[in-house]
Amino acid sequence: MLKLWRQLLLHLVLFNITAYAGPSAASSGGGGQSVKFYVYGLQNQATFTKGATIYDPVPTSGGGIGFERGGPSRGWRLDVMSITRGYKQDDSSSRIPYLLVPITYVFHVFKYVDFGIGGYYGQAQGNSFSTPTGMKTYEESFFDKTDAGFTTRLGLTIPIRSWQLIFQAQYNQGIYDISNTEDFVIKFNDKIFSFGLKFGGGGAKH
């Protein structure tokens, strides 16, 4: 399953790279194609499930950048996000840094509203993470550092001259068991709220 996700994401990344380099990306006029650039800060609330136990989220902050190529009504978007997944454990919390790469197909459904659906690939950062009893390695905590799942995003754009404010809500549904043991299943779900700027694209759909 994970191998198929990696292959899919690789093909989509290559598609985006070749699309950006292609002649239609350089010319957003006749074909209606354009490239948009996003930069934003975010807050994440991650739900951590271990076996039958669901741990409450701890709000954490992060940031990301994104690139979208397409026409005025739809297009492909590739993001790179630095987030932390935090969850309550006893009277303290655990926090795990992740690099997430979501790829979504975006629909600009109204003048200033867009909706995206796709998948994400995630990789835990470093060799250890913070727990209530101190730093622990991923192996000690039975974690596989690789994650993958589905993602959906709802965005609002507010045009201001040559750039645009963006507000986004994103939900990640983990489908890959990130446990490295057969004794229990570990999964993450994310609720991500972000605020930032969008450049390019010639404004919102009319």
Side-chain angles (χ1 to χ4, degrees):
M1 174 65 119
L2 181 59
K3 185 177 180 181
L4 290 175
W5 269 106
R6 284 174 171 168
Q7 290 176 343
L8 175 61
L9 288 170
L10 177 61
H11 286 312
L12 288 174
V13 169
L14 291 175
F15 169 83
N16 277 273
I17 291 173
T18 55
Y20 295 148
S24 60
S27 162
S28 60
Q33 300 292 301
S34 64
V35 176
K36 307 175 185 71
F37 173 70
Y38 300 80
V39 57
Y40 49 87
L42 61 85
Q43 182 186 78
N44 184 37
Q45 297 185 26
T47 302
F48 173 66
T49 304
K50 182 178 180 180
T53 305
I54 300 176
Y55 294 84
D56 291 331
V58 173
T60 58
S61 59
I65 59 173
F67 302 89
E68 181 187 336
R69 180 186 183 273
S73 61
R74 59 186 181 273
W76 285 100
R77 176 167 166 178
L78 170 68
D79 285 75
V80 178
M81 308 169 71
S82 176
I83 71 168
T84 299
R85 287 168 159 171
Y87 58 93
K88 294 180 181 178
Q89 202 170 10
D90 299 324
D91 294 329
S92 187
S93 63
S94 294
R95 297 169 185 267
I96 307 175
Y98 267 87
L99 191 68
L100 295 188
V101 182
I103 297 180
T104 52
Y105 194 69
V106 180
F107 300 88
H108 298 275
V109 291
F110 297 109
K111 186 174 182 180
Y112 301 122
V113 178
D114 59 84
F115 171 76
I117 185 168
Y120 75 88
Y121 174 82
Q123 186 73 25
Q125 302 299 291
N127 297 315
S128 59
F129 64 96
S130 172
T131 74
T133 57
M135 299 297 290
K136 284 190 176 181
T137 66
Y138 293 99
E139 290 76 13
E140 288 178 304
S141 301
F142 305 104
F143 273 104
D144 186 335
K145 295 175 67 175
T146 300
D147 186 23
F150 297 112
T151 186
T152 57
R153 179 192 289 112
L154 182 65
L156 173 66
T157 299
I158 302 177
I160 301 178
R161 297 186 179 179
S162 61
W163 46 275
Q164 301 158 57
L165 288 175
I166 55 168
F167 299 88
Q168 301 174 124
Q170 180 173 335
Y171 180 74
N172 295 334
Q173 174 70 53
I175 62 172
Y176 176 63
D177 177 14
I178 62 174
S179 168
N180 61 12
T181 176
E182 296 182 356
D183 295 337
F184 46 78
V185 173
I186 297 177
K187 292 184 179 181
F188 272 111
N189 298 328
D190 302 295
K191 293 179 181 178
I192 301 173
F193 303 93
S194 58
F195 167 76
L197 299 174
K198 178 172 75 172
F199 303 91
K205 175 187 174 184
H206 292 277

